[in-house]
Amino acid sequence: MNTPITPRKLARPVPLTKIQRAYGRSLADFGELLPAEQKLLDCSATGEEAKIGSSVPTDAPDPNKIVRASFLRFLLLGGDEQAPVHEQGVQLIGAWVRGKLDLSNCAVPHGITLFNCKFDKLINLVDARIVGSLVLSGSHLLERLYADRLQCNSSVFLRAGFRSSREVRLTGAQISGNLDCRGGQFEAKEARALSADSAVVKGSVFLSELFKATGEVRLVNAQIDGGLECSGGQFEPKAGYALTADGIAVRGFVYLNNGFKATGEVRLLYAQIDGGLECSGGQFKPKEGDALSADGIVVKGVVHLGQGFKATGAVRLSGAQISGNLSCSGGKFEPEEGDALIADGIAVKGFVHLNEGFKATGTVRLLSAQVDGGLDCSGGWFDPKEGHALNADNAVVKGDVSLRDEFKATGTVWLFSAQLGSDLDCRGGQFALPIHPAVVLHTAIIQRVFHLGSVGAPARIDATSAQIGVLADELNAWAKGSTLDGLVYKSLGGAAPIDAATRIEWLKTQSDEYLGEDEAKQNFRPQPWKQLQKVLREMGHGADAREVGVAYEDQLRKADRIGQITDARQAKNIFPVVRRQCSRGLHWLFGFLAGYGYRPIRLFMSLVGVWLFCALVYWWLALPTYSAIGPTDPLVFQNAAYAACTEENKGNSMLCKSLPAEYTTFSPLAYSLDILLPLVDLGQEKHWGPLIPTPERHFCVELLSFSPAHWVRLLNWFEILYGWIASLLFVAIVSGISRRSETEK
């Protein structure tokens, strides 16, 4: 028996319109609309603003102000046939948006305007694309805003009372307009308040005008075609960094000024700024660490850290490249410890200004800096707690370096091996360092003038092996203990004293050790004396140069450098000691007689004096009272006329008229000169001499006899010895002058 076949009931076909849309993309999916949603639906169709409230909803939301996030998403994505959205897009004001607003990977065809709204859940715009602006101005976010890799073809507004309690993320976002956060409050509970690493902003970024962030603001590797405006912004993280913009590229200016405040470190490491960096009026007060880190930054304009700028941590600009000026005039760099300004290896095409009220309570470092303009520290106050005040070792400054006009340093100004293309001007500077050197110019090069004078107190200057074009100084500017060894200068200029007495006093401002006046007497430095002598001679002040030469020889004796015994074994041997004392004695005699060869006229005058004095004594002793001088030729003694002459003149042979006419007449002046000059024969010494009585029996008795004739003999001996000594000294002086002339050539 065949079983009857029952026809199968076919399913009712589903209309095509019911299967084209995913859930949440159809108005029917939301059932009965809330009052605020209905108003939003109506306004979106006409392009009007849906004003639900006049301000941000309170914590206890009014049911009439609630808009479901899913319904808002439905309209933002364009609605459907029953809920068309006008070209003006969705504009919602004063609503409470409940739930998670997820637009990740979505293309929003219109701009988004959600003004004065409150969001209790996450807003997700990761990889979203918005045709228009994103406006969240005045809105409050209780949860995060994620907009990584957001593409917005206009501006993003998080301003005018915008508030977020959690992190706002715009990492990798591409914004064709501005990122405007003016007046926004980013009160993050976590470490980061705003993250926009690698973001690309075609316009400007505004974090200004009462902007406030209680977490870190990150703009690492961001690209901004306009400027970065943070004037008046408050960056107050609970810990860590305040603003991190390492590697940022900004084509305009970066403003961290006029009320800007950061209580954490601001980082601009290796940033590229085509405009300028303006921080005047900014307050950088980190809880710990550095205040501003901008190592390797490249700024094609100017960098202002001036009037009103204050940093309580170190400011770092090591390796920075600045095409304009670095101006810190009036800036306050007051770290609690350590360095105040670190600009090692900085390259500045313009000028560096640390003047007019500038103050640093830590070391200012410019090691190996390159400054094409000048370094102006006039009126600056460098007050380190310890260490150097200004450290510019190996710096190259093509313009002037000015430490004048009430410049004040309580630490050493260190210019070791610095190269200055123009002047170093310290006139009016105050260097309050009684123990350590105030200015160190060790191996420095100053192409033009070193001005030093009119200082508040004398300063110890270490100019070891420095090279200076012109030294224009005042004696009272150099304190005792200054170092001049190796200092080379071409001339003395300005109001610098040139007279030998003052310059010798200047040389004596060196330490007792370098003057050879200490107990060891091992470190005497002759170079400063020789350099001064050379410069005075080249300037045409020969007399002063000679006076310096005399003072140098005197100092050599004070330093115990004459006949010095270098071997300890020789010091125990009597002969080297005697030789040394003889050398010192002869050196003193050389100085006394001829001023060490620098005063040959003194030797000549001494010869004249000895000549005239001895001639007077000879004349006196040849008178009848003494008759101590007589003819020495035997032919005269055998001449009867001579005997008669002596009787006639009571033994006075000088006035005898009966002597042979061919016999040389006695002349006291010629006689004295004939004895005094060793290689000159005037005929007097051969024919006249002392009339010595018969010698006594014993040598000692003869030696101690002092008759008039004995006095004549003693004078003869003295004149002969003195003549030879003077002649040898003249030869030494002439040869020394010749050698100096050859050296000068």
Side-chain angles (χ1 to χ4, degrees), residues 25 73 76-77 102-109 124-131 150-151:
R25 296 299 305 275
R73 177 180 184 274
L76 290 173
L77 295 179
D102 189 352
L103 293 169
S104 59
N105 297 294
C106 292
V108 181
N124 190 347
L125 295 172
V126 175
D127 292 313
R129 299 175 300 280
I130 302 175
V131 181
L150 168 70
Q151 296 182 33

Side-chain angles (χ1 to χ4, degrees), residues 476-509:
N476 61 0
W478 297 83
K480 182 66 176 178
S482 295
T483 305
L484 306 175
D485 184 35
L487 172 63
V488 176
Y489 47 97
K490 296 179 180 178
S491 65
L492 299 169
I498 301 178
D499 62 286
T502 304
R503 298 276 26 141
I504 291 170
E505 289 298 316
W506 169 62
L507 292 175
K508 291 184 177 181
T509 60

